[in-house]
Amino acid sequence: MTLGLVSLLGCVVFDESLLSKDGGPDVGRDTPDQPDATDDTGLDVVQDALSDVLSDVPTDTGSDVPTDTGQDAPPPPAPACVSYDHDGIPGPSYFYPGAANENCTTVCMTHGGYANTTKTAVGSMGETACCTIVLQTMYNTTASASDGTSSAGVGCARLTDGTLKRYTSPATNETSKISNVQRVCACVQNDSCQQITSGPCI
């Protein structure tokens, strides 16, 4: 069979327009061969996602965990009185703490009465080191007493602000008191006083 001619089996119509350029897109052939727009293969997508997740995880340095140091142990209770053999003669003295503005007559009223070692051991005739160790034991403190003078003969004492003092003048006596001073008074009776076994003046 030859184009444009009639064959023995019938005729064939040849459309010359088929020889002209195709005016429409050829869907089967004209799809452009372009690179992957995202440049991500399936593996790339997984790796990128994993990398993003890992980079978003905050780093725990450990410093954000609070340190539990535990509660501080409470200080031991202050003794009701202190036994101190400051010179061995005539024996130990029994020291009791007074309240602010309280004299030794009142302090020793229920402890056998006033003892003169309030003056001779820790007061104006005593030693600052002896006053210090009695006050430290009595008030659970490491502070030291310093010498000073006062308006009344209160001797070895603790001020209400915590300052420790031995007043050397005027002379220590039984009845003196000051509003902001807690006197240390030696009394006759030992009411299970805490004993000082070492330190100065022994």
Side-chain angles (χ1 to χ4, degrees):
M1 180 177 62
T2 305
L3 293 178
L5 299 178
V6 178
S7 69
L8 295 176
L9 298 177
C11 65
V12 174
V13 178
F14 179 73
D15 188 351
E16 291 183 358
S17 67
L18 296 175
L19 298 176
S20 64
K21 184 177 179 180
D22 187 352
D26 188 287
V27 177
R29 296 180 56 195
D30 291 344
T31 301
D33 183 13
Q34 296 180 351
D36 187 352
T38 61
D39 290 331
D40 277 339
T41 65
L43 180 59
D44 291 332
V45 173
V46 174
Q47 290 176 337
D48 289 349
L50 178 60
S51 175
D52 184 60
V53 170
L54 292 177
S55 64
D56 289 345
V57 176
T59 301
D60 189 353
T61 62
S63 60
D64 58 338
V65 178
T67 302
D68 187 0
T69 58
Q71 294 183 347
D72 294 333
C81 58
V82 175
S83 171
Y84 187 32
D85 189 359
H86 59 93
D87 59 7
I89 303 172
S93 296
Y94 311 113
F95 296 96
Y96 293 80
N101 203 36
E102 188 173 45
N103 64 30
C104 288
T105 302
T106 302
V107 172
C108 294
M109 187 177 298
T110 57
H111 305 297
Y114 176 79
N116 199 44
T117 46
T118 303
K119 177 181 180 178
T120 59
V122 297
S124 58
M125 292 180 60
E127 297 182 39
T128 304
C130 299
C131 174
T132 292
I133 193 170
V134 169
L135 288 170
Q136 286 178 339
T137 306
M138 187 172 287
Y139 292 104
N140 292 322
T141 180
T142 58
S144 296
S146 60
D147 288 350
T149 59
S150 180
S151 59
V154 291
C156 182
R158 176 184 184 267
L159 279 64
T160 52
D161 66 1
T163 302
L164 308 184
K165 299 293 289 187
R166 183 180 74 96
Y167 293 106
T168 59
S169 177
T172 303
N173 62 72
E174 180 179 346
T175 57
S176 289
K177 60 183 180 179
I178 301 176
S179 60
N180 66 330
V181 172
Q182 299 168 278
R183 294 192 63 179
V184 169
C185 302
C187 305
V188 173
Q189 187 172 306
N190 178 9
D191 293 331
S192 301
C193 296
Q194 180 174 316
Q195 186 176 6
I196 299 174
T197 58
S198 63
C201 310
I202 292 181

